[in-house]
Amino acid sequence: MKRIAIILDKNLEQGAAANVAALLMGQAALNEPGLYSDQPVLDQSGVQHAGIRYSTVILKAGENQLINLVKVCSEDNDSLRHLVFTQTGQSLNNAFEQYASEIAAMALEATKVVGVIVWGEDESVRAKTKKFSVMK
């Protein structure tokens, strides 16, 4: 069984948190095409529903906790995948080339991580994220 955890900075406003979660999930889906069904999920009326294959939870944490999570995931050799989104990304609306260039020139801590997505085996994801609270 697989699981996805999206961990967001606890100080983000609701709209910003939703935006960061959407960006992280979108990139994760590109990196791991199996996150979603490649066949449409249709109801009896023909309306398409999201075809997410993995259980997904949204959690909250402090900035230092986010950075520590990324470091632990980066150093761990298990099968967990992860990626981040940052204040740097939030500040550069519709300026992808500038964003990519600035991120490439910065250390992780300087980017001001505001969200992390972790996915993989359920037990591994739970073990790495059990200290974080559910976002409400």
Side-chain angles (χ1 to χ4, degrees):
M1 182 180 350
K2 305 277 185 167
R3 183 174 187 82
I4 301 165
I6 300 171
I7 308 91
L8 303 172
D9 186 313
K10 64 185 178 183
N11 296 314
L12 288 175
E13 293 181 11
Q14 286 183 344
N19 180 263
V20 171
L23 291 167
L24 289 168
M25 193 64 162
Q27 185 65 57
L30 287 173
N31 290 10
E32 180 95 18
L35 291 181
Y36 289 93
S37 172
D38 57 355
Q39 298 298 314
V41 176
L42 304 174
D43 64 24
Q44 290 180 347
S45 300
V47 175
Q48 186 171 355
H49 295 250
I52 185 76
R53 293 183 184 271
Y54 301 172
S55 176
T56 304
V57 63
I58 299 182
L59 307 170
K60 62 182 177 180
E63 182 183 350
N64 290 333
Q65 290 177 303
L66 293 170
I67 290 169
N68 289 336
L69 174 62
V70 172
K71 288 179 178 180
V72 166
C73 288
S74 296
E75 294 168 355
D76 207 338
N77 289 329
D78 64 15
S79 61
L80 284 184
R81 307 272 314 267
H82 67 283
L83 57 97
V84 306
F85 194 67
T86 65
Q87 281 184 2
T88 302
Q90 287 179 307
S91 71
L92 296 171
N93 192 11
N94 294 325
F96 177 76
E97 288 76 19
Q98 182 182 356
Y99 163 69
S101 176
E102 286 189 25
I103 291 294
M106 299 172 87
L108 175 66
E109 295 82 1
T111 66
K112 304 276 188 196
V113 174
V114 293
V116 179
I117 186 169
V118 178
W119 71 96
E121 292 301 320
D122 186 88
E123 293 171 11
S124 295
V125 172
R126 285 179 189 271
K128 293 282 190 292
T129 61
K130 65 183 175 186
K131 63 183 152 204
F132 306 123
S133 303
V134 173
M135 181 162 268
K136 296 181 182 184

